[in-house]
Amino acid sequence: MIKVGLALAACAIFYFMGYSHEHKKFVAFQAEIAALGKAQETINAAKVKEHETISESIKSEYDARLAAVHNYYSDRVQLNAGSSNLPTVSKPTVCPNVSTADTGLIRRCAQTTLQLTELQNWVKSIK
């Protein structure tokens, strides 16, 4: 019975030593992962800041170019029949070879083109 008790005590001691050793390894692993996580958070914060800077510069460039588009098309005559008390010229019944320019449509097309161009610039600069 004493031998069995000594064997159980030895097993308990070896179990505790193994657990202690593995627990220390696990704590070291957790500390290593925490340090790597902090380092990655710093890297991610720098990338977010860089992307925000790029996005802000492209947004300000887009706003400036959009203002230029608006200024360019604001000088154009816009057809709005209901805005004036002046009599209008009647439209002929048949007008071959005449193209009516819708300034609003042209302006919206220019805005959309500019928006897509700036979006492409943003995608290229983020990569």
Side-chain angles (χ1 to χ4, degrees):
M1 190 69 135
I2 292 180
K3 289 183 181 182
V4 173
L6 287 175
L8 286 175
C11 286
I13 289 173
F14 287 129
Y15 175 79
F16 177 74
M17 289 173 49
Y19 171 80
S20 177
H21 174 70
E22 290 300 319
H23 183 69
K24 286 178 185 176
K25 282 177 38 179
F26 180 66
V27 169
F29 173 74
Q30 282 182 323
E32 179 184 354
I33 295 300
L36 290 173
K38 292 285 184 186
Q40 191 62 45
E41 285 177 3
T42 304
I43 292 169
N44 289 350
K47 285 185 180 183
V48 165
K49 187 71 173 172
E50 177 187 359
H51 288 176
E52 286 174 352
T53 303
I54 290 170
S55 295
E56 283 299 317
S57 78
I58 288 178
K59 183 184 180 313
S60 60
E61 181 182 334
Y62 169 73
D63 289 341
R65 291 178 67 190
L66 185 61
V69 166
H70 287 173
N71 287 338
Y72 178 77
Y73 286 105
S74 68
D75 295 339
R76 304 275 177 125
V77 175
Q78 298 203 5
L79 302 173
N80 192 355
S83 67
S84 171
N85 292 332
L86 298 174
T88 60
V89 176
S90 63
K91 294 183 180 181
T93 56
V94 177
C95 292
N97 301 327
V98 175
S99 64
T100 58
D102 182 6
T103 306
L105 177 63
I106 295 170
R107 183 177 181 174
R108 288 189 304 274
C109 289
Q111 288 174 348
T112 303
T113 302
L114 176 63
Q115 186 178 22
L116 292 175
T117 303
E118 292 300 320
L119 182 61
Q120 288 172 345
N121 289 340
W122 178 78
V123 169
K124 288 177 186 175
S125 65
I126 292 297
K127 286 186 177 181

